[in-house]
Amino acid sequence: MSDGKQVGIVLVSHSKEVAAAVAELAKGLSGGGAAPVASAGGTPDGGLGTSAELIIAAAERVDDGAGVAVLVDLGSAVLTVKALLAEGDELPAGTRLVDAPFVEGAVAAVVTASAGGDLDAVEAAASEAYAYRKQ
């Protein structure tokens, strides 16, 4: 990453609190890295659900021109992000839905982006989190 731009990370959950907590955890475990991270949780009125408007706003906040990796928690979040990507003009150029476990993938994505990884490296690191063994 020679141009100083960093991949942005958007964490989409059905819960505002879950999205914010995972963002805080990932930033903390990255050693306070500088990668831009935003959460898009719940609905605009604070309820459970997924909001296209919150996802768009979060992606715009973290877009530095190096791409945006979007990690999601559950089914309708996936569908909402896919619909936004299909529209083609709702999300910043270079926005990518990343198939990864939400918590472990978020940590891997933020650590990799903070270390200067490009969008492909961020996606690979987050996706590899599926292989993390817990025993």
Side-chain angles (χ1 to χ4, degrees):
M1 184 182 69
S2 59
D3 59 7
K5 295 181 180 181
Q6 290 187 300
V7 173
I9 312 295
V10 174
L11 303 175
V12 181
S13 173
H14 284 67
S15 164
K16 177 180 180 177
E17 294 79 12
V18 169
V22 172
E24 182 179 339
L25 176 68
K27 288 188 285 189
L29 293 177
S30 73
V37 180
S39 59
T43 60
D45 65 0
L48 293 175
T50 306
S51 165
E53 293 79 19
L54 293 177
I55 295 167
I56 293 166
E60 290 171 351
R61 281 195 309 275
V62 302
D63 180 28
D64 192 21
V68 176
V70 181
L71 286 84
V72 299
D73 64 355
L74 301 169
S76 67
V78 174
L79 296 175
T80 302
V81 173
K82 282 184 175 182
L84 289 170
L85 289 169
E87 291 290 321
D89 61 353
E90 296 289 331
L91 294 171
T95 299
R96 190 179 297 174
L97 175 61
V98 175
D99 183 14
F102 192 60
V103 175
E104 296 92 335
V107 171
V110 173
V111 167
T112 303
S114 295
D118 65 11
L119 186 56
D120 289 336
V122 168
E123 180 176 27
S127 296
E128 287 170 8
Y130 275 125
Y132 293 175
R133 300 291 306 167
K134 297 180 182 173
Q135 57 171 316

